[in-house]
Amino acid sequence: MDYAVLRKRMVDSQLVCRGIADARVLGAFYKVERHKFVPEELSANAYADYPLPIGENQTISQPYMVALMTECLSLNGQEKVLEIGTGSGYQAAILAELAGEVCTIERFSALAQRAKVTLDELGYVNIKVKAGDGTLGWQEEGPFDRIIVTAASRGIPSPLIEQLKEDGKLIAPIGESFSQILTVAQKKKGKLETTGICGCVFVPLVGKYGCYA
Ligand code: SAM
């Protein structure tokens, strides 16, 4: 299997065609080997236009959704980014190509451990992975220039708002359990100003400040 060919096809036919235009973002997608982040038996599908299972009933998101969320963060290479929902580690790798430092939290320790092994094997030295409840944020590492939440909830957990820097940006799927709006928020004078980007469907954010119960 020529993964480099599949990867180029993925970028051109799924990302560029749908309007992802930031050259740095596209460069990261050309580079990061998505097939290393999916279970081996699914590696032939790693560059397909849909999410894939990664264990624990969780998914690696569709490439386009990862790209859109990344582009919305407008990264210049210097930022400290917090990701909630490490999953496979693929989004963290993309962020690490584009920002200064990435801190990522996953509630399933088996997924967090596997992601850390993958990211270490690929040589990433600017990613910290932690198992735990990401709705609490990562107090010791904050504040953050950017926060990305890759699981859905009805609102933005208050610790994440507190740990976001002034003028910082946060992106998260906000809404009901089977239908959300991808929402970008910017912190201005301590409050979030939000903009809806598009409809989306993510697995639920399960934690102290995030569940649908
Ligand atoms: N970003 C991931 C990737 O690149 O593979 C995909 C993330 S998947 C769509 C959402 C992840 O959020 C799942 O792995 C899930 O276990 C995790 N999650 C849900 N609630 C969480 C929480 N409170 N804290 C940390 N992770 C959480």
Side-chain angles (χ1 to χ4, degrees):
M1 190 92 49
D2 191 339
Y3 290 114
V5 170
L6 294 181
R7 199 154 54 249
K8 181 166 186 334
R9 204 175 290 155
M10 171 192 84
V11 175
D12 296 345
S13 69
Q14 299 173 35
L15 310 189
V16 176
C17 285
R18 289 181 178 130
I20 303 295
D22 183 322
R24 290 184 71 241
V25 171
L26 294 173
F29 280 82
Y30 281 124
K31 178 176 172 189
V32 177
E33 297 177 304
R34 186 171 160 95
H35 61 279
K36 302 253 170 91
F37 293 86
V38 304
E40 214 172 329
E41 65 276 15
L42 295 177
S43 45
N45 304 92
Y47 297 94
D49 194 13
Y50 43 76
L52 290 170
I54 53 170
E56 308 288 355
N57 265 334
Q58 304 302 318
T59 53
I60 177 174
S61 303
Q62 176 199 29
Y64 173 66
M65 189 50 70
V66 180
L68 180 60
M69 292 179 86
T70 304
E71 193 171 61
C72 286
L73 290 176
S74 326
L75 297 166
N76 65 24
Q78 304 302 313
E79 299 84 356
K80 185 164 188 179
V81 183
L82 174 66
E83 180 194 25
I84 310 304
T86 314
S88 67
Y90 177 67
Q91 172 82 75
I94 294 285
L95 294 169
E97 294 287 338
L98 299 166
E101 192 181 349
V102 178
C103 297
T104 180
I105 310 176
E106 170 55 51
R107 68 182 274 258
F108 287 105
S109 45
L111 294 182
Q113 273 168 28
R114 196 187 314 145
K116 185 168 173 17
V117 169
T118 308
L119 293 164
D120 285 349
E121 281 173 2
L122 291 173
Y124 287 98
V125 292
N126 59 341
I127 304 177
K128 287 184 185 152
V129 183
K130 167 169 121 165
D133 178 3
T135 69
L136 303 171
W138 196 334
Q139 184 79 44
E140 310 78 46
E141 289 290 343
F144 299 96
D145 301 291
R146 302 286 187 269
I147 298 181
I148 175 169
V149 186
T150 65
S153 63
R154 283 211 182 98
I156 297 165
S158 54
L160 301 186
I161 303 173
E162 284 153 23
Q163 291 172 34
L164 183 66
K165 282 187 192 168
E166 182 67 15
D167 285 324
K169 274 189 177 178
L170 178 152
I171 188 159
I174 301 296
E176 296 308 312
S177 53
F178 291 102
S179 164
Q180 303 102 35
I181 303 289
L182 186 63
T183 304
V184 178
Q186 189 156 22
K187 193 165 173 179
K188 294 280 181 195
K189 296 190 180 137
K191 295 228 155 47
L192 290 186
E193 292 177 358
T194 61
T195 311
I197 303 294
C198 63
C200 58
V201 182
F202 277 77
V203 295
L205 182 68
V206 180
K208 184 170 179 195
Y209 294 89
C211 73
Y212 285 105

